């Protein structure tokens, strides 16, 4: 099948937990930020809120944790500083098969967008650390699109910027409920949850999806199968 004949033309891939292993850095940075704002105390709802907010905009996570917009902004700034420090200590790494999957997709004519709940500032530090600044066709954070996941804005923006012919020509892959809701609400034909990140199989099964896969390395085979008449 030639590139112009492909039905699936854009793959929107989450970063942390899907293509990148952050090795607990996000939780460490979130806890540190919240404790600094609250005087050392974690809110009673910390574990539940942190778990349910994974995959979404980090600013929204802090608002849910602290219940105050100003405190959330302060905490988010602290979080970014702490996370950037952890990234610089080699606390993050590319998940097995991620680089190969991206290369296979792009070489077969599928454009690849990376999406994240991190800000553009953190995203750039992360990509530079991993040597991924030229790896994909597009990279999006919530501030680039208006709203973070579970809203469909990141996927719809990728569709527009990468000139996909329709929402049906898109695959969305992520490791959280918010990723799956985002892809479903955007109308993507493939909405796949991966088991390498924040949410386990039992949790991901509660959200709408088309596939649950062990890792991002399984994506090319799914797209191949979906492409066949």
């Amino acid at each position: 099948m030639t590139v112009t004949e492909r039905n699936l033309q854009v793959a929107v891939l989450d970063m942390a937990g899907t293509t990148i292993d952050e090795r607990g850095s996000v939780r460490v940075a979130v806890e540190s930020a919240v404790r600094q704002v609250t005087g050392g105390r974690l809110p009673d709802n910390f574990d539940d809120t942190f778990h349910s907010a994974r995959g979404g905009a980090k600013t929204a996570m802090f608002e849910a944790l602290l219940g105050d917009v100003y405190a959330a902004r302060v905490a988010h700034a602290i979080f970014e500083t702490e996370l950037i420090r952890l990234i610089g200590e080699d606390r993050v790494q590319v998940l097995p098969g991620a680089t190969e999957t991206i290369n296979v997709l792009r070489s077969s004519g599928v454009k690849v967008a990376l999406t994240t709940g991190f800000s553009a500032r953190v995203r750039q530090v992360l990509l530079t650390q991993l040597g991924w600044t030229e790896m994909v066709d597009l990279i999006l954070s919530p501030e680039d699109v208006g709203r973070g996941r579970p809203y469909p804005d990141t996927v719809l923006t990728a569709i527009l910027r990468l000139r996909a012919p329709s929402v049906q020509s898109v695959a969305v892959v992520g490791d959280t409920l918010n990723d799956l809701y985002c892809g479903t609400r955007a109308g993507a034909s493939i909405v796949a949850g991966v088991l390498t990140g924040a949410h386990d199989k039992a949790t991901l099964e509660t959200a709408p999806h088309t596939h649950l896969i062990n890792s991002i390395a399984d994506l090319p085979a799914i797209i191949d199968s979906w492409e066949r008449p």
Side-chain angles (χ1 to χ4, degrees), residues 136-150:
V136 297
D137 300 283
L138 181 67
I139 310 166
L140 295 171
S141 293
E143 65 203 76
D144 302 314
V145 303
R147 299 175 298 179
R149 299 174 295 227

Side-chain angles (χ1 to χ4, degrees), residues 3 21 27 40-41 58 68 74 76 92 125 146 154 168 198 212 215 223 226:
V3 171
D21 183 0
R27 182 172 182 119
R41 180 184 62 84
K58 300 302 177 282
D68 179 86
V74 174
H76 185 256
V92 297
V125 171
T154 48
Q168 289 82 20
L212 293 181
S215 78
I223 291 177
W226 188 81

Side-chain angles (χ1 to χ4, degrees), residues 90-108:
D90 289 331
R91 284 284 294 267
V92 297
Q93 61 189 23
V94 176
L95 279 165
T99 299
E100 294 82 358
T101 293
I102 291 171
N103 287 336
V104 165
L105 293 178
R106 296 186 78 197
S107 66
S108 68

Side-chain angles (χ1 to χ4, degrees), residues 6 31 54 59 62 64 73 96 109 129 131 136 148 153 162-163 181:
R6 291 196 72 95
E31 283 195 18
R54 297 303 300 271
T59 49
F62 284 110
R73 288 175 181 170
Q129 177 75 15
V136 297
D153 301 32
L162 296 178
R163 299 183 179 276
Y181 283 120

Side-chain angles (χ1 to χ4, degrees), residues 65-191:
L65 283 169
L66 298 169
D68 179 86
V69 173
Y70 176 74
R73 288 175 181 170
V74 174
H76 185 256
I78 296 170
F79 161 77
E80 289 202 334
T81 298
E82 178 69 4
L83 185 58
I84 287 171
R85 180 185 68 79
L86 293 170
I87 292 170
E89 294 177 356
D90 289 331
R91 284 284 294 267
V92 297
Q93 61 189 23
V94 176
L95 279 165
T99 299
E100 294 82 358
T101 293
I102 291 171
N103 287 336
V104 165
L105 293 178
R106 296 186 78 197
S107 66
S108 68
V110 177
K111 294 179 180 178
V112 176
L114 288 178
T115 62
T116 180
F118 298 139
S119 70
R121 174 192 174 208
V122 171
R123 178 191 79 201
Q124 191 57 43
V125 171
L126 181 57
L127 292 171
T128 299
Q129 177 75 15
L130 297 173
W132 267 22
T133 54
E134 304 297 326
M135 179 63 64
V136 297
D137 300 283
L138 181 67
I139 310 166
L140 295 171
S141 293
E143 65 203 76
D144 302 314
V145 303
R147 299 175 298 179
R149 299 174 295 227
Y151 298 104
D153 301 32
T154 48
V155 176
L156 296 178
T157 299
I159 289 169
L160 291 171
R161 294 195 187 177
L162 296 178
R163 299 183 179 276
S166 71
V167 294
Q168 289 82 20
S169 66
V170 177
V172 175
V173 187
D175 66 299
T176 69
L177 294 178
N178 283 322
D179 292 302
L180 301 185
Y181 283 120
C182 174
T184 300
R185 292 173 180 180
S189 287
I190 294 175
V191 179

Side-chain angles (χ1 to χ4, degrees), residues 9 12 26 32 50-51 56 58 68 75 90 100-101 110 131 147 160 178 187 194-195 201 205 211 221:
Q9 297 194 18
V12 180
V26 172
S32 176
F50 178 79
H51 183 72
K58 300 302 177 282
D68 179 86
D90 289 331
E100 294 82 358
T101 293
V110 177
R147 299 175 298 179
L160 291 171
N178 283 322
V194 294
L195 305 181
K201 182 178 181 181
E205 284 178 337
H211 301 79

